[in-house]
Amino acid sequence: MKKYTFTEKKDTRSGFGDGLTELGKTNPNVVALCADLTGSLKMNEFEKNHPDRFFQVGIAEANMMGIAAGLTIGGKIPFTGTFANFSTGRVYDQIRQSIAYSHKNVKICASHAGLTLGEDGATHQILEDIGLMKMLPGMTVINTCDYNQTKEATIAIAEHDGPVYLRFGRPKVPVFMPQGEFKIGKAIKLTEGTDVTIVATGHLVWESLLAAEALEKDGISAEVINIHTIKPLDEEAILASVAKTKCIVTAEEHNKLGGLGESVARCLAENTPTPQEFVAVDDSFGESGTPDQLMKKYKINDEAVIAAVKKVIKRK
């Protein structure tokens, strides 16, 4: 099994900020909008270097989406920045009507997603945002796993024509993905395996690699696939893997309902019904706590992946 290691931890939101900073230098059509969270979204450098292309709209997220949609008409490529909760749930009507319906070229960039924003508590820990966004026709949905991948995704979506939802997080997590591998809609196989397929997204990619390493010691060969793009889903990669392993585990920092797991289940049902186990939050809201505490309690860590693998293998 190929070994992935890391030498540092960085927050994925910093990957977004650094990617946006680079875009500011290379693409004059890129503009940025923020809803009073410039520091939290790491948009400070873009604001400093390009004050004429940065719009601080205040705590008015719905207005931000409307402004972003309008800016596209003049050929601009707007990147909106706020927490995932406020990027989706609070402004769903504006995204649906003003951005998705008319296929506006807006990049909705959402930090502090999932449980791992931690102590801010349940009201900020959105676990249904992937479902909300992937159901919108024409919306590309990306959920990155580390700093490197988030920076590359931020740069890549500027070249993509159409609305994008880019989801990332608050905590510092291992930086382990090699640079140069990100491509919208193309999964990345991290390990070769023969006994089970583990398809993971976001922070659960690293947890799945830890699980695969532990499973190897138990004689279980796990194939780990990084699904950074949830829509469009790389069905070819998933189907090729399960043709070999005959079972699959999906892992995500999201509600079991509406997330990556359901997209994979639909793919399998339409092509080759396969035993599947879900590592995801089981239809509940979160609570206040540290990221590690919450991931353990809500069973979205490496231990949960290991348990799901051992369960699904018995169902072959």
Side-chain angles (χ1 to χ4, degrees):
M1 183 175 76
K2 184 178 180 181
K3 305 296 183 183
Y4 282 81
T5 58
F6 72 96
T7 56
E8 63 175 333
K9 289 186 175 183
K10 296 178 75 172
D11 48 334
T12 49
R13 57 182 169 147
S14 287
F16 164 68
D18 290 348
L20 187 65
T21 297
E22 188 168 321
L23 282 172
K25 300 173 184 177
T26 60
N27 192 330
N29 285 322
V30 167
V31 297
L33 303 89
C34 190
D36 203 33
L37 288 166
T38 310
S40 292
L41 270 289
K42 307 294 183 180
M43 302 172 80
N44 313 66
E45 283 300 307
F46 187 95
E47 179 186 21
K48 176 184 174 182
N49 296 327
H50 312 285
D52 56 328
R53 291 155 57 190
F54 181 84
F55 304 92
Q56 177 57 265
V57 302
I59 306 174
E61 293 86 356
N63 192 36
M64 179 171 68
M65 295 303 171
I67 294 170
L71 284 166
T72 66
I73 298 172
K76 300 303 180 185
I77 306 171
F79 282 64
T80 67
T82 186
F83 291 176
N85 196 15
F86 310 140
S87 291
T88 56
R90 178 172 288 182
V91 294
Y92 192 77
D93 180 60
Q94 284 73 28
I95 293 174
R96 183 184 189 276
Q97 301 299 99
S98 299
I99 296 173
Y101 180 74
S102 50
H103 202 69
K104 291 291 192 294
N105 195 30
V106 176
K107 316 306 173 184
I108 303 164
C109 303
S111 182
H112 292 57
L115 288 174
T116 51
L117 67 94
E119 293 84 349
D120 283 355
T123 57
H124 283 46
Q125 293 163 354
I126 194 162
L127 295 164
E128 63 272 20
D129 55 314
I130 290 174
L132 288 170
M133 292 295 103
K134 78 176 187 179
M135 286 189 293
L136 290 170
M139 181 70 72
T140 295
V141 179
I142 299 171
N143 185 38
T144 52
C145 69
D146 75 348
Y147 168 90
N148 287 342
Q149 194 167 82
T150 309
K151 182 179 178 181
E152 289 192 342
T154 302
I155 294 169
I157 64 176
E159 300 298 321
H160 175 80
D161 182 26
V164 175
Y165 179 62
L166 176 61
R167 182 190 206 245
F168 44 93
R170 173 191 182 184
K172 292 184 177 180
V173 295
V175 180
F176 62 96
M177 286 298 298
Q179 298 184 39
E181 293 190 359
F182 180 86
K183 186 176 180 181
I184 295 173
K186 292 297 180 182
I188 303 172
K189 185 188 296 184
L190 302 182
T191 69
E192 294 277 354
T194 55
D195 296 324
V196 62
T197 298
I198 304 174
V199 170
T201 189
H203 294 150
L204 268 292
V205 176
W206 179 252
E207 298 295 318
S208 296
L209 286 172
L210 294 178
E213 190 171 350
L215 288 163
E216 187 178 32
K217 296 175 183 177
D218 291 338
I220 298 173
S221 174
E223 186 153 289
V224 179
I225 298 175
N226 176 353
I227 296 284
H228 48 72
T229 305
I230 295 169
K231 182 186 177 185
L233 186 67
D234 190 347
E235 297 189 0
E236 183 179 347
I238 294 167
L239 294 173
S241 184
V242 298
K244 175 174 53 175
T245 64
K246 309 301 182 187
C247 63
I248 189 168
V249 169
T250 52
E252 60 192 309
E253 187 184 350
H254 189 269
N255 196 325
K256 184 184 296 184
L257 306 176
L260 169 66
E262 283 199 348
S263 290
V264 171
R266 177 200 52 76
C267 169
L268 297 175
E270 291 178 345
N271 292 279
T272 176
T274 305
Q276 177 180 351
E277 289 293 329
F278 297 73
V279 174
V281 176
D282 191 13
D283 193 24
S284 74
F285 292 102
E287 61 186 286
S288 184
T290 67
D292 286 345
Q293 288 173 333
L294 294 169
M295 290 177 77
K296 183 177 180 66
K297 177 171 181 176
Y298 290 89
K299 298 181 179 178
I300 56 167
N301 60 4
D302 59 330
E303 295 174 356
V305 174
I306 291 168
V309 164
K310 292 183 176 179
K311 183 176 180 181
V312 81
I313 285 177
K314 295 177 181 178
R315 295 176 52 202
K316 282 193 187 183

